Amino acid sequence: MNESEAPMLTPATPEFLQSLTRQLPPGTLRAPEPRHLSEPRGRWAGLAAAVAMPTSVEEVAVVVKACAQARVGIVPWGGGTGLVGGQIMPQGPLPLILSLERMARIRAIYPEENVMIAEAGAILADVQAAAEGVGRLFPLTLASQGSCRIGGNLSSNAGGVNVLRYGNARDLCLGLEAVLPDGSIWRGLKRLRKDNTGYDLKNLLIGAEGSLGVITAASLKLVPVPAQDGAAILAVESPKAALSLLAMAQRRLGGLVSAFELISRVGLDFLTETMPQVRQPFANPPDWMVLIDLGLPEGMSPSDALEALYSEAADAGLVSDGVIAQSAAQRAEFWTLRESLPEGNRLIGAVSSHDISLPLSEIPAFLAKAGPALAAIGTWRINCFGHLGDGNLHYNVFPALGGKKADHEAQRDAIKTLVHDLVDAFGGSVSAEHGIGRLKVNDLERYGDPAKLAAMRAIKAALDPAGIMNPGAVLRG
Amino acid sequence: MNESEAPMLTPATPEFLQSLTRQLPPGTLRAPEPRHLSEPRGRWAGLAAAVAMPTSVEEVAVVVKACAQARVGIVPWGGGTGLVGGQIMPQGPLPLILSLERMARIRAIYPEENVMIAEAGAILADVQAAAEGVGRLFPLTLASQGSCRIGGNLSSNAGGVNVLRYGNARDLCLGLEAVLPDGSIWRGLKRLRKDNTGYDLKNLLIGAEGSLGVITAASLKLVPVPAQDGAAILAVESPKAALSLLAMAQRRLGGLVSAFELISRVGLDFLTETMPQVRQPFANPPDWMVLIDLGLPEGMSPSDALEALYSEAADAGLVSDGVIAQSAAQRAEFWTLRESLPEGNRLIGAVSSHDISLPLSEIPAFLAKAGPALAAIGTWRINCFGHLGDGNLHYNVFPALGGKKADHEAQRDAIKTLVHDLVDAFGGSVSAEHGIGRLKVNDLERYGDPAKLAAMRAIKAALDPAGIMNPGAVLRG
């Protein structure tokens, strides 16, 4: 599409809102609350004429159809926890926010099928609890699980700490109900593990961040709860040694490693500075650690498995110290430590954060290059941590001890470009799990494959010719 | 798009072929061989002006670009093993076949990453062997693995016997290189487990059966080889008991059940009739059996695990007899039996075959309805077998003993409609793993969700406005 043909969005006028109000139950259209117009990192303030809070897919369809006819932009809104601004529109013709928060039911659970049907507004922790209630596990696990909603998790293809074993949000979804940009309802809540009937619309909507339609409900995969859990924090020589340990663990334990998280001493230093109440496993923390988590079947002992792994890894010179959880409480303590790292980061204040992924074997070379390259433009503390098992690192750059984030605002773009250019050169991704939103539209244009970008634009124009769905997210409006 | 606007394809004329020949290395354009114009079930004979056999993605791009300009249809061709006619165009303007068979290299293997880059023309068995060569497993396993090619496996999102544990072809792919319908090259061979940068073009091409572009290479996931294997064939009371056994096995063994295959006595009777050399586990076969296959980590004994499962299942009244493999040879024998079932079917000759999937808990109710409904229109032998763990059954209807397939041709459509209507009523899929091809275009129109179908047509028109890619496959041309 030429730019001259680009559709023009119109603002949501009072007349439009009045007309829409008449088509919906009372109380569906409301004034936006502050939470609808802000986002966790405080970078942007959002605009909206109103918030629609439908309670059924049919009401969602009414809203979308009206917006399509009037060419009014729609910003789909889940839990508002996204980190790339996908849920917030800071400029442009006044849009409508479409919040799924009143569609939060668990519609059905089929324990014998390992399937749950949840509405998009269900909070992730509630989905997890509903699975636990029938003796199953919904394995998607992430920091914001107490407030993020499953529709947002799917729209952004959320990751988290159990991707190594159970996959991303995408891999945990069997089917969707969604409203497409013309207001039509796709009733695709299949409970099937195999279904090769046509194009994969499900995976197209997953990860589209609301720009191709609104997910209203999902058929989710559950898994059996492992009979036994185990965890250890092991001190490793280097990220390279951590990768060798990962390969060893995978060889010994097949698909039973649930999480494999890299932790750096810098992260623990930040906790010592900002959250001294968080219990740490080592009196003198090593430079690099790994939190390994196992979920085992009956007939295997977690501590035996972890001790045998430790022993082989020590013989190979990969690990130098370690603590194996002796109880569920100690395992929970390890995870509290891990989950406190982002809050520690927030309290210290990053100059620039990067949610990157790399081919596993390129990680050591990336780290060897990135540190010195950054040192050439300033003095930093780098907290590199995250989901090493997936090649997904949060590579966050902080001021030197005593320095302030605010003093380095001018350097942020240079740092980001340096890190992202390097990631790209190593065949990595500049958004491993957070998505594009509005924050990384430029990055997508810079690093994205041109043929893929052209295909994305063609798909967007085909499914959403008026450009109403989450304008400016993922693709430039 | 209105029908009046539908693009018109033109035949591949001698002039077109001459012009294309000049743009490609000698020997790239060839006369079609019989294998290019036939398909395994012998239903259709194909048409083609020539076969292009490029050796690089750039040559593929030249072919596609020329066809796009001239509006000549392209039929992508892998191993020719598809069962729904996706690889064969029996009518319409004379197309070009694009065979990937000369792009069959394993470009790279990264054992430490569990990743392999394979060209689309690599035979599945060669991909498996290359993985084994570095001590890894490429778990996609299906009957035609000696001749099907990975590009075709991906284009059709192949399934097979290990989906329960490792997923479909889609789940085993990290990235693609492909030529899009305008001849542009998408270089998307990422080796990343997490990459949320834009729409999921990978999964859109996977399962599109060549109608949205040509896959030329793939980044494939490998997995560690389980330290130990085990298998058993257990006699179960009914498919319902088999499902309870599956749930029990999953609870006890988490993700370590590699395959869970339903076998019926009818299938063994067919082998007795047609392939008596295939060794059978029971002197008096029960009505229903399950082949369960385990891949275990170090520290677990397969025979202990299977005996403990048998014991609990026997106490629960789920199993009445069983044979646990005592050696790798005996496990291989079990699999030979399983893999002989399709050949037994072929030799008997089905009136109608159905590759269906159902929500697991609906399978008993489906079977309870389907048998009597079919009996109302004739006397049949039904061989229902397959990937029960995935809810994927091959529900195949044969003439009564002594009857001939040829005598029932007139009844095929009625049988198919009866079975598919019932599958649809139970929330199932009329193509679980074989795809739509040209055989099931009507089924897709009959059973597909209208909003999804409209979205599919919009995507097809956006990415392939001239309609050159595999015309008539998946969507009516």
Side-chain angles (χ1 to χ4, degrees):
Chain A
M1 193 180 297
N2 298 327
E3 244 170 82
S4 57
E5 297 173 286
M8 290 285 286
L9 292 176
T10 63
T13 60
E15 296 70 32
F16 170 78
L17 296 179
Q18 279 163 22
S19 160
L20 183 55
T21 299
R22 284 193 296 270
Q23 301 174 56
L24 292 165
T28 305
L29 277 197
R30 306 179 182 194
E33 297 171 40
R35 65 198 166 94
H36 295 120
L37 301 174
S38 57
E39 48 83 32
R41 287 184 175 159
R43 293 233 173 107
W44 293 297
L47 297 173
V51 180
M53 293 195 191
T55 59
S56 70
V57 64
E58 289 78 14
E59 290 173 18
V60 174
V62 167
V63 171
V64 174
K65 207 163 277 182
C67 288
Q69 277 169 2
R71 295 180 172 267
V72 167
I74 297 173
V75 181
W77 203 85
T81 60
L83 295 173
V84 290
Q87 73 277 41
I88 198 156
M89 190 167 147
Q91 58 187 28
L94 205 60
L96 193 70
I97 289 173
L98 176 56
S99 169
L100 281 299
E101 62 202 278
R102 293 207 298 162
M103 287 184 70
R105 283 189 310 138
I106 306 298
R107 287 193 196 160
I109 307 187
Y110 306 87
E112 69 279 31
E113 295 180 13
N114 282 318
V115 174
M116 177 193 301
I117 311 288
E119 290 187 340
I123 287 178
L124 175 54
D126 294 340
V127 173
Q128 294 167 341
E132 277 168 39
V134 296
R136 297 293 184 277
L137 179 68
F138 182 66
L140 189 69
T141 304
L142 35 109
S144 59
Q145 60 199 25
S147 48
C148 64
R149 295 171 192 268
I150 192 67
N153 295 146
L154 289 166
S155 293
S156 61
N157 187 28
V161 297
N162 288 331
V163 173
L164 178 64
R165 179 164 185 167
Y166 298 109
N168 294 289
R170 165 182 323 286
D171 303 301
L172 300 170
C173 180
L174 296 170
L176 293 177
E177 175 190 89
V179 176
L180 301 182
D182 64 355
S184 63
I185 298 174
W186 173 37
R187 300 188 188 270
L189 288 176
K190 296 272 185 182
R191 286 143 48 200
L192 305 173
R193 308 279 160 167
K194 283 182 173 175
D195 180 18
N196 278 348
T197 52
Y199 302 161
D200 190 355
L201 191 59
K202 178 191 81 181
N203 278 317
L204 193 60
L205 290 181
I206 294 174
E209 305 182 41
S211 70
L212 296 178
V214 183
I215 293 171
T216 56
S219 172
L220 301 172
K221 269 190 215 173
L222 309 179
V223 298
V225 181
Q228 314 168 79
D229 296 313
I233 296 190
L234 306 181
V236 292
E237 186 63 30
S238 62
K240 190 174 165 60
L243 288 165
S244 300
L245 178 64
L246 171 64
M248 187 181 285
Q250 297 281 60
R251 175 176 53 70
R252 293 183 65 93
L253 294 162
L256 303 173
V257 182
S258 299
F260 195 90
E261 298 282 307
L262 184 69
I263 299 174
S264 87
R265 192 180 48 72
V266 178
L268 299 194
D269 289 349
F270 286 3
L271 292 183
T272 305
E273 288 174 43
T274 62
M275 303 170 73
Q277 72 278 15
V278 176
R279 195 137 166 200
Q280 297 200 13
F282 299 104
N284 291 309
D287 281 350
W288 296 102
M289 286 144 283
V290 158
L291 168 54
I292 180 169
D293 197 87
L294 304 182
L296 301 185
E298 293 192 13
M300 282 187 83
S301 149
S303 56
D304 286 359
L306 287 164
E307 273 160 29
L309 174 66
Y310 182 85
S311 168
E312 186 182 346
D315 288 349
L318 299 176
V319 297
S320 57
D321 199 355
V323 189
I324 294 174
Q326 298 303 318
S327 64
Q330 198 176 9
R331 174 169 171 260
E333 222 169 60
F334 291 173
W335 277 107
T336 299
L337 175 79
R338 166 62 186 87
E339 284 161 5
S340 301
L341 296 175
E343 180 62 8
N345 288 343
R346 204 185 60 78
L347 293 168
I348 296 284
V351 179
S352 186
S353 308
H354 313 93
D355 165 41
I356 61 176
S357 65
L358 290 153
L360 285 179
S361 65
E362 304 286 8
I363 288 174
F366 166 81
L367 294 175
K369 280 209 173 179
L374 286 167
I377 59 172
T379 307
W380 316 106
R381 294 203 287 180
I382 294 169
N383 187 12
C384 170
F385 70 104
H387 320 301
L388 187 67
D390 315 313
N392 176 196
L393 300 173
H394 299 301
Y395 190 89
N396 295 355
V397 180
F398 297 83
L401 187 60
K404 282 206 179 105
K405 163 185 172 173
D407 298 336
H408 298 281
E409 290 291 327
Q411 288 165 287
R412 178 184 293 153
D413 282 354
I415 294 172
K416 202 168 281 296
T417 302
L418 187 159
V419 172
H420 284 179
D421 281 0
L422 209 48
V423 166
D424 186 57
F426 279 106
S429 168
V430 299
S431 186
E433 58 176 8
H434 295 167
I436 297 298
R438 290 171 176 84
L439 180 66
K440 294 189 177 177
V441 171
N442 288 336
D443 290 303
L444 182 59
E445 291 175 354
R446 181 181 175 99
Y447 303 109
D449 177 88
K452 177 178 169 179
L453 277 169
M456 285 174 58
R457 291 189 184 107
I459 291 165
K460 170 76 174 174
L463 296 184
D464 183 16
I468 61 165
M469 289 309 311
N470 215 0
V474 187
L475 294 170
R476 202 172 294 280
Chain B
M1 191 181 296
N2 297 329
E3 244 169 81
S4 58
E5 297 174 286
M8 291 285 286
L9 291 177
T10 62
T13 60
E15 295 70 33
F16 170 78
L17 295 178
Q18 279 164 22
S19 159
L20 183 55
T21 298
R22 284 192 296 271
Q23 301 174 58
L24 292 164
T28 305
L29 277 197
R30 306 181 183 193
E33 297 171 40
R35 66 199 166 93
H36 296 118
L37 301 174
S38 57
E39 48 84 32
R41 288 186 175 159
R43 294 235 173 104
W44 294 296
L47 297 173
V51 179
M53 293 194 191
T55 59
S56 71
V57 63
E58 288 78 14
E59 290 172 18
V60 174
V62 167
V63 171
V64 174
K65 207 164 279 180
C67 288
Q69 277 170 3
R71 295 180 171 267
V72 166
I74 297 173
V75 181
W77 203 86
T81 59
L83 294 174
V84 291
Q87 73 277 39
I88 199 155
M89 191 167 146
Q91 57 186 29
L94 205 62
L96 193 70
I97 289 173
L98 176 56
S99 169
L100 281 299
E101 63 202 277
R102 293 207 299 162
M103 288 184 69
R105 283 188 311 137
I106 307 297
R107 288 193 195 159
I109 308 188
Y110 306 88
E112 70 279 32
E113 295 180 12
N114 282 318
V115 173
M116 177 194 302
I117 311 287
E119 290 186 339
I123 287 178
L124 176 53
D126 293 340
V127 173
Q128 293 167 343
E132 276 167 41
V134 296
R136 295 294 184 277
L137 180 68
F138 182 66
L140 189 69
T141 304
L142 34 110
S144 59
Q145 61 199 25
S147 49
C148 63
R149 294 171 191 271
I150 192 68
N153 296 144
L154 289 166
S155 292
S156 61
N157 187 28
V161 297
N162 288 331
V163 172
L164 178 65
R165 179 164 186 168
Y166 298 108
N168 294 289
R170 168 184 317 287
D171 304 301
L172 300 171
C173 179
L174 296 169
L176 292 177
E177 175 190 270
V179 176
L180 301 182
D182 63 355
S184 62
I185 298 173
W186 173 37
R187 298 187 190 272
L189 288 176
K190 295 273 185 183
R191 286 142 49 199
L192 305 172
R193 309 278 160 169
K194 283 182 172 175
D195 179 18
N196 278 346
T197 52
Y199 302 161
D200 189 354
L201 190 58
K202 179 191 80 182
N203 279 316
L204 193 59
L205 290 181
I206 293 175
E209 304 181 41
S211 69
L212 295 177
V214 183
I215 294 171
T216 55
S219 171
L220 301 172
K221 270 191 213 173
L222 309 179
V223 298
V225 180
Q228 313 169 76
D229 296 313
I233 296 190
L234 306 181
V236 291
E237 186 62 32
S238 62
K240 190 173 164 63
L243 287 165
S244 299
L245 177 65
L246 171 66
M248 186 181 284
Q250 295 282 57
R251 176 176 53 70
R252 294 183 65 92
L253 294 163
L256 303 174
V257 182
S258 299
F260 194 89
E261 298 282 307
L262 184 70
I263 299 173
S264 86
R265 192 179 47 74
V266 177
L268 299 194
D269 290 348
F270 287 2
L271 292 184
T272 304
E273 288 173 43
T274 61
M275 303 169 74
Q277 73 279 16
V278 176
R279 194 136 167 201
Q280 298 200 13
F282 299 104
N284 290 310
D287 281 350
W288 296 100
M289 287 144 282
V290 158
L291 168 55
I292 178 169
D293 197 87
L294 305 181
L296 302 184
E298 293 191 14
M300 281 188 84
S301 150
S303 55
D304 287 359
L306 287 165
E307 274 160 27
L309 174 65
Y310 182 84
S311 167
E312 185 182 346
D315 289 348
L318 299 175
V319 297
S320 57
D321 198 356
V323 189
I324 294 174
Q326 299 302 317
S327 64
Q330 197 176 8
R331 175 170 171 259
E333 224 169 59
F334 291 173
W335 277 106
T336 299
L337 175 78
R338 166 62 186 86
E339 284 161 6
S340 301
L341 294 176
E343 180 62 8
N345 288 344
R346 204 186 60 76
L347 292 169
I348 297 285
V351 180
S352 186
S353 308
H354 314 93
D355 165 42
I356 61 176
S357 66
L358 290 154
L360 284 179
S361 64
E362 304 285 8
I363 288 173
F366 165 80
L367 292 176
K369 280 210 173 181
L374 286 167
I377 58 171
T379 307
W380 316 105
R381 294 202 288 180
I382 294 168
N383 187 12
C384 170
F385 69 104
H387 320 301
L388 187 68
D390 314 314
N392 176 195
L393 299 174
H394 299 302
Y395 189 88
N396 295 355
V397 180
F398 297 83
L401 187 61
K404 282 210 179 104
K405 163 184 170 174
D407 299 335
H408 298 281
E409 290 290 325
Q411 288 166 287
R412 180 186 291 152
D413 282 355
I415 294 172
K416 203 169 279 297
T417 302
L418 188 160
V419 172
H420 284 178
D421 281 0
L422 208 49
V423 165
D424 186 57
F426 278 106
S429 168
V430 299
S431 187
E433 58 177 8
H434 295 168
I436 298 298
R438 291 173 176 84
L439 181 66
K440 296 190 177 177
V441 171
N442 288 337
D443 289 304
L444 182 60
E445 291 175 354
R446 182 180 174 99
Y447 303 109
D449 177 88
K452 178 179 168 180
L453 277 169
M456 285 174 57
R457 292 192 183 105
I459 291 165
K460 170 75 174 176
L463 295 184
D464 182 16
I468 61 165
M469 290 307 312
N470 214 0
V474 187
L475 294 170
R476 204 173 292 280

